[in-house]
Structure formats: structure tokens, C-alpha cells
Amino acid sequence: MSKGVRCFLTAGLIAVLWFLPVPEGLTPAAWHLFAIFAGTILGFILQPFPLGTVALAAITFAALTNTIKPAEALAGFSNTVIWLIVSAFLFAQGFIKTGLGRRIAYYLILKFGSSSLKLAYTLVLSDFIIAPATPSNTARSGGILFPIVRSLASVFGSEPGATARKIGAFLLVVSFQVDAPIAAAFLTACAPNPLMAELARDTAGLEISWGLWAMAGIVPVLLSMVVLPYVLYKLYPPEIQRTPEAQSLAREKLTEMGAMTRDEKIICGIFVGALLLWSTSGYTGVNATIAALLGVTAMLLTGVLTWEDVLREKGAWDGMMWMGGIVSLAGALNKIGFIPWFAASVTGAMTGVSWGLTLGILFLVYLYSHYGFASLSGHATAMYAAFLAVAVAAGAPPYLAALGLAFLSNLMAGLTHYSTGSAPIYFGAGYVTQGQWWKLGFVCSVINIIIWIGIGSVWWKILGIW
């Protein structure tokens, strides 16, 4: 498909929706903003221009037509998640530049390097161990694991482009996709989880404690941790599969590297400090983004990174541009009333249908409507309470509905390259094409539905939760 055709289709979708009659219950501005948002999503898919160009054009057009105010069009660029993404890229740069990432990678290869599948499971287990104490999947997956995954790929000579499929693409996809069910497993593993527990209390009078959440999630998450890496290994296999020689190579490289250098020690201390701040933010009150920026500042002040290193990190600034734009539009859609209208329309259509069918439809709509969101918290804030209220009113067991929707609020993170804060970090590394990313995301979502809603609901029944 030529660039001209892709431009025509993107602009054409905006024009068609723009001039359609405004649905009852919406203002013209809300409908026009949806037209711009829908066109932007199509532009992200077709890519007539780079993602940053598409996003910048969208927010400019939205402000130019007075659909939203200029401050609203630019609001996404002040979003803390956006700056956490930038910081994660710079953390990765520090790991790579100092060699600490290579040292960690070689150590992992030494211990678990006999196959690429074992390496994948090692990353998944690491994510699971730190998840209960890290209430941000962006900080955990993007800030902690991504630099290690990226370094592992480099050790095997797998870089974006011709060598991406050697092992790097596989490891990045596994690490990102399995983080979604891990985020669902604990009340403190993702930012919107405590919010949904509060909404469940306010909406349906339900008490979801940390222990109840963890007990409900433990069987599904373990199944996802076992099944997803293996399925991805079969669907998206690395070229390097058996790597027994990697362990002897890692031993040799660690010997060559010798003792840790000054910069390695500094970046290690900064990394551990950031991890402690991230994992204890509930007690210290230090925002995850501020903790990450503190780490970047420390790297700059100690000379581990130079300001030129920061300016050269194109992935960080590219991700900031397109992610900031889509966050601006998504936030404005909710503020202007489109998202609440959409939620009310969908839930109102369920009246008179059996609770089982109603709940099933609500689960699917709730999950796959995330293609139109760039934030898990924004999605949960806009739709969780409304969907839960309709499910309970239809006769669905309250805890089944509340937990199902809450877990799906995390599982949807794997759908797109903009669906959660860590997505642009992994996608921006350049190992996986957008088409492949979306395809694998959809496949993983189906597997997670079967595990979490299918097997999970049986597990919750055994526990007596519903």
C-alpha cells in the first residue's frame, strides 16, 4: 500500500466520522474528538508517516479546530508515565554504556543459558518475584527488566534489524507479554489495582483485600507464566534455541571483564536505590517517575551519562512524542464525555439478557475496547465501575464480575504498542514490527482469557469466592 493511499485512508476516516450525524447524548466536540482519535489509531496502524508525526498532527488539528483547548492537546507531555518512559530509556543507556547490563546478562547466561526458553522463563520469574512490591508495571517491566533484556539480546549479537530474530525479539516479547498477567496477580503490582478495589467497594459494597486478590490470582498467573513463554516460543521462535556453549562463553567474558568498574558500581547503586524507592512508594510517598528522574540525575551528576548521551537517545524522545500525543487525546476523550457515553451505551444494551451472557459480553467489550486507550488507569477509571454495576444488576455474582474485570484491566496491557507505559519502551527498541506486535498481543489475550476467566472462574468457585 502506497504512502498516498495510507494518508488518504487515515484522513478519510476522520472526515467521514466528522461529518456523520452526532449520536444522541454527545456534543459535537466529543464526536469530532473521537473522529480525530479514531483516525490517529488508524494512522498508527498504517503509518503513512512516523508515529510522532501522526500524533503531532492529530493534537495540532484537534486544537486548531477548537475541538479541545491547546493546554489539553499538550497535557499528555506532562504526564508522569511519559517521563517514566523517557527515564527507562536512559536507565537502559546507563546499563549498556557502563557494561553493567552485559555483566548481569553474562551472569544470567552462566546460570540459565542452556536454551533461549530457559532464559525467557528466568526473566518471567524475576518479574514475578519483584511484582508484589512494585506498584507500577511501567517501572517494573520498563525500568527494571527492559535494560536486562536489551543487554541479553546484545550479548548474543541480536540487534534491531537483520539480527532481531536471533533471540532479542523473542526475549522482549516474552518479557512484555507475561508482565501483564503478573501485574494482574497482586493488588500492589499495578497502579489501577487499588483504585478498582476501591471502586468495587463503592459500587457493589465488595471488600477485596490484598490476600483475597492474591489468592484469586495465584493459579491463573502461574499458568500464564508457564504457558505464554512456551506458546510464544512456538509461534515466534528465536533462531538461537539451544545454547549450551553460551555458558562457557559467559564464564570467559566475565573473567575478561574482571572486577566491577567505578561506573558499574555507581549505576548498580542507582539501580538498587530506584528499585527500593519504586517498591516502597506506598510508604515513602515518592512518585515512581520522580524516583526514576532522581536516578537519571544521579547518573548525570556522577558522569555515568553525559548530556550528549541523553540527547542521542532518540528512542526516548520519539516515544515521548507519539505516546504523549495519544495520552493527550485519550484523556481529552474521557474529559469531554465520550468514554462515559460509550460505557453507558454498551452497558445499557445488556438489559434483559441473562447474567452469564451479559458478563461474557461485558468482559470481551471491556478487554478489547482497550485498543482505544493508552492508559490502564484511564481505562479502569472510565469503565470499570459502570461495567461492574451493570453486571451485578444483571444478576452476575458480584465477586466474579469484580475480579474478572479487575484482572482484565491488567491483561489488556499486552494488546498494542501504546496500551500501557512499558509498551513503547519495548516496542521502541525496534526488534518487533507493529503488525507482529499486534498479532502476538491478540493471541496472548485469547490465551489469558481462557486461563483467567475460564480456569480462573473455576478456581474462584473452589475457593468459595462466588
Side-chain angles (χ1 to χ4, degrees), residues 119-195:
L119 286 174
Y121 279 120
T122 300
L123 294 169
V124 168
L125 182 60
S126 300
D127 194 344
F128 178 76
I129 291 171
I130 64 177
T134 316
S136 168
N137 64 332
T138 303
R140 182 177 63 254
S141 182
I144 298 172
L145 292 175
F146 173 75
I148 297 174
V149 178
R150 182 63 180 81
S151 298
L152 273 172
S154 295
V155 166
F156 283 102
S158 182
E159 301 292 341
T163 60
R165 290 298 302 273
K166 287 181 69 175
I167 194 170
F170 167 70
L171 292 179
L172 261 75
V173 167
V174 170
S175 181
F176 174 74
Q177 287 295 338
V178 184
D179 180 68
I182 288 175
F186 303 101
L187 182 65
T188 51
C190 195
N193 291 354
L195 168 65

Coordinates of all heavy atoms in Angstrom, one line a residue, residues 119-195:
L119 N 16.1 -18.9 29.4 CA 16.3 -17.5 29.6 C 15.0 -16.8 29.7 O 14.9 -15.9 30.6 CB 17.2 -16.9 28.5 CG 18.7 -17.3 28.4 CD1 19.3 -16.8 27.2 CD2 19.4 -16.8 29.6
A120 N 14.1 -17.1 28.9 CA 12.8 -16.4 28.9 C 12.1 -16.7 30.3 O 11.5 -15.8 30.9 CB 11.9 -16.9 27.8
Y121 N 12.1 -17.9 30.7 CA 11.5 -18.3 32.0 C 12.2 -17.6 33.2 O 11.6 -17.2 34.2 CB 11.5 -19.8 32.2 CG 10.3 -20.5 31.5 CD1 10.6 -21.5 30.6 CD2 9.0 -20.1 31.8 CE1 9.5 -22.1 29.9 CE2 7.9 -20.8 31.1 CZ 8.2 -21.8 30.2 OH 7.2 -22.4 29.5
T122 N 13.5 -17.4 33.1 CA 14.2 -16.7 34.1 C 13.8 -15.2 34.2 O 13.6 -14.7 35.3 CB 15.7 -16.7 33.8 OG1 16.2 -18.0 33.7 CG2 16.5 -16.0 34.8
L123 N 13.6 -14.6 33.1 CA 13.1 -13.2 33.1 C 11.7 -13.1 33.7 O 11.3 -12.2 34.5 CB 13.0 -12.6 31.7 CG 14.4 -12.5 31.0 CD1 14.2 -12.2 29.5 CD2 15.2 -11.3 31.7
V124 N 10.8 -14.1 33.4 CA 9.4 -14.1 33.9 C 9.5 -14.3 35.4 O 8.7 -13.6 36.1 CB 8.7 -15.3 33.2 CG1 7.3 -15.5 33.9 CG2 8.4 -14.9 31.7
L125 N 10.3 -15.2 35.9 CA 10.4 -15.4 37.3 C 10.9 -14.2 38.1 O 10.4 -13.9 39.1 CB 11.3 -16.6 37.6 CG 11.4 -17.0 39.1 CD1 10.1 -17.4 39.7 CD2 12.4 -18.2 39.2
S126 N 11.8 -13.5 37.5 CA 12.3 -12.3 38.1 C 11.2 -11.3 38.2 O 11.1 -10.6 39.2 CB 13.5 -11.7 37.2 OG 14.5 -12.7 37.1
D127 N 10.4 -11.1 37.2 CA 9.3 -10.2 37.2 C 8.3 -10.5 38.3 O 7.9 -9.7 39.1 CB 8.6 -10.2 35.8 CG 7.7 -9.1 35.6 OD1 7.3 -8.4 36.6 OD2 7.3 -8.8 34.4
F128 N 8.0 -11.8 38.4 CA 7.1 -12.3 39.4 C 7.5 -12.0 40.8 O 6.7 -11.6 41.7 CB 6.8 -13.8 39.2 CG 5.9 -14.4 40.2 CD1 4.5 -14.2 40.1 CD2 6.3 -15.2 41.2 CE1 3.6 -14.8 41.0 CE2 5.5 -15.7 42.1 CZ 4.1 -15.5 42.0
I129 N 8.8 -12.2 41.1 CA 9.4 -12.0 42.4 C 9.2 -10.6 42.9 O 8.9 -10.3 44.1 CB 10.8 -12.5 42.5 CG1 10.9 -14.0 42.3 CG2 11.5 -12.1 43.8 CD1 12.3 -14.6 42.2
I130 N 9.5 -9.6 42.0 CA 9.5 -8.2 42.4 C 8.1 -7.6 42.3 O 7.9 -6.5 42.8 CB 10.5 -7.4 41.7 CG1 10.2 -7.4 40.2 CG2 11.9 -8.0 41.9 CD1 11.2 -6.5 39.4
A131 N 7.2 -8.3 41.6 CA 5.9 -7.6 41.3 C 5.1 -7.2 42.6 O 4.6 -6.1 42.6 CB 5.0 -8.6 40.5
P132 N 5.0 -8.0 43.7 CA 4.2 -7.6 44.8 C 4.6 -6.3 45.4 O 3.9 -5.5 46.0 CB 4.3 -8.7 45.8 CG 4.7 -9.9 44.9 CD 5.6 -9.3 43.9
A133 N 5.9 -5.9 45.3 CA 6.5 -4.7 45.9 C 6.7 -3.6 45.0 O 7.3 -2.6 45.3 CB 7.8 -5.1 46.6
T134 N 6.2 -3.7 43.7 CA 6.4 -2.7 42.7 C 5.1 -2.3 42.1 O 4.6 -2.9 41.1 CB 7.4 -3.2 41.6 OG1 8.5 -3.9 42.2 CG2 7.9 -2.1 40.8
P135 N 4.5 -1.3 42.6 CA 3.1 -0.9 42.2 C 3.1 -0.1 40.9 O 2.3 0.8 40.8 CB 2.6 -0.1 43.4 CG 3.8 0.5 43.9 CD 4.9 -0.5 43.8
S136 N 3.9 -0.5 39.9 CA 3.9 0.1 38.6 C 4.5 -0.9 37.6 O 5.6 -1.2 37.7 CB 4.7 1.4 38.6 OG 4.9 1.8 37.3
N137 N 3.6 -1.3 36.7 CA 4.2 -2.2 35.7 C 5.1 -1.5 34.8 O 6.0 -2.1 34.2 CB 3.0 -2.9 34.9 CG 2.2 -1.9 34.1 OD1 2.1 -0.8 34.5 ND2 1.6 -2.4 33.0
T138 N 5.0 -0.2 34.6 CA 5.9 0.6 33.8 C 7.3 0.6 34.5 O 8.3 0.4 33.8 CB 5.4 2.0 33.6 OG1 4.1 1.9 33.0 CG2 6.3 2.8 32.7
A139 N 7.3 0.9 35.7 CA 8.6 0.9 36.5 C 9.2 -0.5 36.5 O 10.4 -0.6 36.3 CB 8.4 1.4 37.9
R140 N 8.4 -1.5 36.7 CA 8.9 -2.9 36.9 C 9.4 -3.4 35.5 O 10.6 -3.8 35.4 CB 7.9 -3.8 37.5 CG 8.4 -5.2 37.7 CD 7.3 -6.0 38.4 NE 6.1 -6.2 37.5 CZ 4.9 -5.5 37.7 NH1 4.8 -4.7 38.8 NH2 3.9 -5.7 36.9
S141 N 8.5 -3.4 34.6 CA 8.8 -4.0 33.3 C 9.7 -3.1 32.5 O 10.7 -3.6 31.9 CB 7.5 -4.3 32.5 OG 7.8 -4.9 31.3
G142 N 9.4 -1.8 32.4 CA 10.2 -0.9 31.6 C 11.5 -0.5 32.2 O 12.5 -0.4 31.6
G143 N 11.4 -0.2 33.5 CA 12.6 0.4 34.2 C 13.6 -0.6 34.7 O 14.8 -0.4 34.8
I144 N 13.1 -1.8 35.1 CA 13.9 -2.8 35.8 C 14.3 -3.9 34.8 O 15.5 -4.2 34.6 CB 13.2 -3.4 37.0 CG1 12.9 -2.3 38.0 CG2 14.1 -4.5 37.6 CD1 12.1 -2.8 39.2
L145 N 13.4 -4.5 34.1 CA 13.6 -5.7 33.3 C 14.1 -5.3 31.9 O 15.0 -6.0 31.3 CB 12.4 -6.6 33.2 CG 12.0 -7.3 34.5 CD1 10.7 -8.1 34.3 CD2 13.1 -8.2 34.9
F146 N 13.6 -4.2 31.3 CA 14.0 -3.9 29.9 C 15.5 -3.8 29.7 O 16.0 -4.3 28.8 CB 13.2 -2.7 29.5 CG 13.7 -2.2 28.1 CD1 13.3 -2.8 27.0 CD2 14.5 -1.1 28.0 CE1 13.7 -2.4 25.7 CE2 15.0 -0.6 26.8 CZ 14.5 -1.3 25.6
P147 N 16.2 -3.0 30.6 CA 17.6 -2.9 30.4 C 18.3 -4.3 30.4 O 19.3 -4.5 29.6 CB 18.1 -2.0 31.5 CG 16.9 -1.3 32.0 CD 15.7 -2.2 31.8
I148 N 17.9 -5.2 31.2 CA 18.5 -6.5 31.3 C 18.2 -7.3 30.0 O 19.1 -8.0 29.4 CB 18.0 -7.3 32.5 CG1 18.4 -6.5 33.8 CG2 18.5 -8.7 32.5 CD1 17.9 -7.1 35.1
V149 N 16.9 -7.3 29.6 CA 16.5 -8.0 28.3 C 17.3 -7.4 27.2 O 17.8 -8.2 26.3 CB 15.0 -7.8 28.1 CG1 14.6 -8.5 26.8 CG2 14.2 -8.4 29.2
R150 N 17.4 -6.1 27.1 CA 18.1 -5.5 26.0 C 19.6 -5.9 26.0 O 20.2 -6.1 24.9 CB 18.0 -4.0 26.1 CG 18.7 -3.2 25.0 CD 18.0 -3.5 23.6 NE 18.6 -2.7 22.6 CZ 19.8 -3.1 22.0 NH1 20.4 -4.2 22.4 NH2 20.3 -2.4 21.0
S151 N 20.2 -6.0 27.1 CA 21.6 -6.4 27.2 C 21.8 -7.8 26.9 O 22.8 -8.2 26.2 CB 22.1 -6.1 28.7 OG 22.1 -4.8 29.0
L152 N 20.9 -8.7 27.3 CA 20.9 -10.1 26.9 C 20.9 -10.2 25.4 O 21.7 -11.0 24.8 CB 19.7 -10.9 27.5 CG 19.9 -11.4 28.9 CD1 18.5 -12.0 29.4 CD2 20.9 -12.5 28.9
A153 N 20.1 -9.5 24.7 CA 20.0 -9.5 23.3 C 21.3 -9.2 22.6 O 21.8 -9.8 21.7 CB 18.9 -8.6 22.7
S154 N 21.9 -8.1 23.1 CA 23.2 -7.6 22.6 C 24.3 -8.7 22.8 O 25.2 -8.8 21.9 CB 23.6 -6.3 23.3 OG 22.7 -5.3 22.9
V155 N 24.3 -9.4 23.9 CA 25.3 -10.4 24.2 C 25.3 -11.5 23.1 O 26.3 -12.0 22.7 CB 25.1 -11.0 25.6 CG1 25.9 -12.3 25.7 CG2 25.4 -10.1 26.7
F156 N 24.1 -11.8 22.6 CA 24.0 -12.8 21.5 C 24.1 -12.2 20.1 O 23.9 -12.9 19.1 CB 22.7 -13.6 21.7 CG 22.7 -14.6 22.8 CD1 22.0 -14.3 24.0 CD2 23.3 -15.8 22.6 CE1 22.0 -15.2 25.0 CE2 23.2 -16.7 23.6 CZ 22.6 -16.5 24.8
G157 N 24.5 -10.9 20.1 CA 24.6 -10.3 18.8 C 23.3 -10.1 18.1 O 23.2 -10.0 16.8
S158 N 22.3 -9.9 18.8 CA 20.9 -9.7 18.3 C 20.5 -8.3 18.5 O 20.2 -7.8 19.6 CB 19.9 -10.7 19.0 OG 18.6 -10.5 18.5
E159 N 20.5 -7.5 17.4 CA 20.2 -6.1 17.4 C 19.0 -5.8 16.5 O 18.6 -6.7 15.7 CB 21.4 -5.3 16.9 CG 22.7 -5.5 17.8 CD 22.5 -4.9 19.2 OE1 21.7 -4.1 19.4 OE2 23.4 -5.3 20.0
P160 N 18.4 -4.7 16.7 CA 17.2 -4.3 15.8 C 17.7 -4.4 14.3 O 18.8 -4.1 13.9 CB 16.9 -2.9 16.1 CG 17.4 -2.7 17.5 CD 18.6 -3.6 17.6
G161 N 16.8 -5.0 13.5 CA 17.1 -5.2 12.1 C 17.3 -6.6 11.7 O 16.6 -7.5 12.1
A162 N 18.4 -6.9 11.0 CA 18.6 -8.2 10.4 C 18.8 -9.3 11.5 O 18.4 -10.5 11.2 CB 19.8 -8.1 9.5
T163 N 19.3 -8.9 12.6 CA 19.6 -10.0 13.6 C 18.6 -10.0 14.8 O 18.8 -10.7 15.8 CB 21.0 -9.7 14.2 OG1 21.1 -8.4 14.8 CG2 22.1 -9.8 13.2
A164 N 17.5 -9.3 14.6 CA 16.5 -9.2 15.7 C 15.9 -10.5 16.1 O 15.7 -10.8 17.3 CB 15.4 -8.2 15.3
R165 N 15.7 -11.4 15.1 CA 15.0 -12.7 15.4 C 16.0 -13.7 16.0 O 15.6 -14.8 16.3 CB 14.4 -13.2 14.1 CG 13.2 -12.4 13.7 CD 12.0 -12.4 14.7 NE 11.6 -13.8 15.0 CZ 10.6 -14.4 14.3 NH1 10.1 -13.8 13.3 NH2 10.3 -15.6 14.7
K166 N 17.3 -13.4 16.1 CA 18.2 -14.4 16.6 C 17.8 -14.8 18.0 O 17.7 -16.0 18.3 CB 19.6 -13.8 16.7 CG 20.3 -13.7 15.3 CD 21.7 -13.2 15.4 CE 22.7 -14.1 16.1 NZ 24.1 -13.7 16.1
I167 N 17.5 -13.8 18.9 CA 16.9 -14.1 20.2 C 16.3 -12.8 20.8 O 15.4 -12.9 21.7 CB 18.0 -14.6 21.1 CG1 17.4 -15.3 22.4 CG2 19.1 -13.5 21.5 CD1 18.4 -16.0 23.2
G168 N 16.8 -11.6 20.4 CA 16.3 -10.4 21.1 C 14.8 -10.2 21.0 O 14.1 -9.9 22.0
A169 N 14.2 -10.4 19.8 CA 12.8 -10.2 19.6 C 12.0 -11.1 20.5 O 11.0 -10.7 21.1 CB 12.4 -10.3 18.1
F170 N 12.4 -12.3 20.5 CA 11.7 -13.3 21.4 C 11.7 -13.0 22.8 O 10.7 -13.0 23.5 CB 12.3 -14.7 21.1 CG 11.9 -15.7 22.1 CD1 10.6 -16.2 22.1 CD2 12.8 -16.2 23.1 CE1 10.2 -17.2 23.1 CE2 12.4 -17.2 24.0 CZ 11.1 -17.6 24.0
L171 N 12.9 -12.6 23.3 CA 13.0 -12.3 24.8 C 12.2 -11.0 25.1 O 11.6 -11.0 26.2 CB 14.5 -12.1 25.1 CG 15.4 -13.3 25.1 CD1 16.8 -13.0 25.5 CD2 14.8 -14.4 26.0
L172 N 12.2 -10.0 24.2 CA 11.5 -8.8 24.5 C 10.0 -9.1 24.5 O 9.2 -8.6 25.4 CB 11.8 -7.7 23.5 CG 12.8 -6.7 23.9 CD1 14.2 -7.3 23.9 CD2 12.8 -5.4 23.0
V173 N 9.5 -9.9 23.6 CA 8.1 -10.2 23.5 C 7.6 -10.9 24.7 O 6.6 -10.6 25.3 CB 7.7 -10.9 22.2 CG1 6.3 -11.5 22.3 CG2 7.8 -10.0 21.0
V174 N 8.4 -11.9 25.1 CA 8.0 -12.7 26.3 C 8.0 -11.9 27.6 O 7.0 -11.9 28.4 CB 9.0 -13.9 26.5 CG1 8.8 -14.6 27.9 CG2 8.8 -14.9 25.4
S175 N 9.0 -11.1 27.8 CA 9.1 -10.2 29.0 C 7.9 -9.3 29.0 O 7.4 -9.1 30.1 CB 10.4 -9.5 29.0 OG 10.6 -8.7 30.1
F176 N 7.6 -8.7 27.9 CA 6.5 -7.7 27.9 C 5.1 -8.4 28.1 O 4.3 -8.0 28.9 CB 6.5 -6.9 26.6 CG 5.3 -6.0 26.5 CD1 5.2 -4.8 27.2 CD2 4.2 -6.3 25.6 CE1 4.1 -4.0 27.1 CE2 3.1 -5.5 25.5 CZ 3.1 -4.4 26.3
Q177 N 4.9 -9.4 27.3 CA 3.6 -10.1 27.4 C 3.3 -10.7 28.7 O 2.1 -10.7 29.2 CB 3.4 -11.1 26.2 CG 3.3 -10.5 24.9 CD 2.0 -9.7 24.7 OE1 1.0 -9.9 25.4 NE2 2.0 -8.8 23.7
V178 N 4.2 -11.4 29.3 CA 4.0 -12.1 30.6 C 3.9 -11.1 31.8 O 3.3 -11.4 32.8 CB 5.0 -13.2 30.9 CG1 4.7 -14.0 32.1 CG2 5.1 -14.1 29.7
D179 N 4.4 -9.9 31.6 CA 4.2 -8.9 32.6 C 2.8 -8.5 32.9 O 2.4 -8.2 34.0 CB 5.0 -7.6 32.3 CG 4.9 -6.6 33.4 OD1 5.4 -6.8 34.5 OD2 4.2 -5.5 33.1
A180 N 1.9 -8.6 31.8 CA 0.5 -8.3 32.0 C -0.2 -9.2 33.0 O -0.8 -8.7 34.0 CB -0.2 -8.3 30.6
P181 N -0.1 -10.5 32.9 CA -0.7 -11.4 33.9 C -0.1 -11.3 35.3 O -0.7 -11.4 36.3 CB -0.6 -12.8 33.3 CG 0.4 -12.7 32.3 CD 0.3 -11.4 31.7
I182 N 1.2 -11.0 35.3 CA 1.9 -10.8 36.6 C 1.4 -9.6 37.3 O 1.2 -9.5 38.5 CB 3.5 -10.7 36.4 CG1 4.0 -12.1 36.0 CG2 4.2 -10.2 37.6 CD1 5.5 -12.2 35.6
A183 N 1.1 -8.5 36.5 CA 0.6 -7.3 37.1 C -0.8 -7.5 37.6 O -1.3 -6.9 38.6 CB 0.5 -6.2 36.0
A184 N -1.5 -8.5 37.0 CA -2.9 -8.8 37.5 C -2.9 -9.6 38.8 O -3.9 -9.7 39.5 CB -3.6 -9.6 36.4
A185 N -1.8 -10.2 39.1 CA -1.8 -11.2 40.2 C -1.8 -10.6 41.6 O -2.2 -11.3 42.5 CB -0.5 -12.1 40.1
F186 N -1.4 -9.4 41.8 CA -1.3 -8.8 43.1 C -1.9 -7.4 43.1 O -1.9 -6.6 42.2 CB 0.2 -8.7 43.5 CG 0.9 -10.0 43.5 CD1 1.8 -10.3 42.5 CD2 0.8 -10.9 44.5 CE1 2.5 -11.5 42.4 CE2 1.5 -12.1 44.5 CZ 2.3 -12.4 43.5
L187 N -2.6 -7.1 44.2 CA -3.2 -5.8 44.4 C -2.2 -4.7 44.3 O -2.5 -3.6 43.8 CB -3.9 -5.7 45.8 CG -4.7 -4.5 46.1 CD1 -5.9 -4.3 45.2 CD2 -5.1 -4.5 47.6
T188 N -1.0 -4.9 44.6 CA 0.1 -3.9 44.6 C 1.0 -4.0 43.4 O 2.1 -3.4 43.4 CB 0.9 -4.0 45.9 OG1 1.4 -5.3 46.1 CG2 0.1 -3.5 47.1
A189 N 0.6 -4.7 42.4 CA 1.5 -4.9 41.2 C 1.3 -4.0 40.1 O 2.0 -3.9 39.1 CB 1.4 -6.4 40.7
C190 N 0.2 -3.2 40.2 CA -0.1 -2.2 39.1 C -0.9 -1.1 39.6 O -1.8 -1.3 40.5 CB -0.8 -2.9 38.0 SG -0.9 -2.0 36.4
A191 N -0.7 0.1 39.1 CA -1.3 1.3 39.7 C -2.8 1.3 39.8 O -3.4 1.7 40.8 CB -0.9 2.5 38.9
P192 N -3.6 0.8 38.8 CA -5.0 0.9 38.9 C -5.7 -0.2 39.8 O -6.9 -0.1 40.1 CB -5.5 0.7 37.4 CG -4.4 -0.1 36.7 CD -3.1 0.4 37.4
N193 N -4.9 -1.2 40.2 CA -5.5 -2.2 41.0 C -6.1 -1.7 42.3 O -7.3 -2.1 42.6 CB -4.4 -3.3 41.3 CG -4.1 -4.1 40.1 OD1 -4.7 -3.9 39.0 ND2 -3.1 -5.0 40.2
P194 N -5.4 -1.0 43.1 CA -6.0 -0.4 44.3 C -7.3 0.4 44.0 O -8.2 0.5 44.8 CB -4.9 0.4 45.0 CG -3.7 -0.2 44.5 CD -4.0 -0.6 43.1
L195 N -7.2 1.2 42.9 CA -8.3 2.0 42.5 C -9.6 1.1 42.3 O -10.7 1.5 42.7 CB -8.0 2.8 41.2 CG -9.1 3.5 40.5 CD1 -9.7 4.6 41.4 CD2 -8.7 4.0 39.2

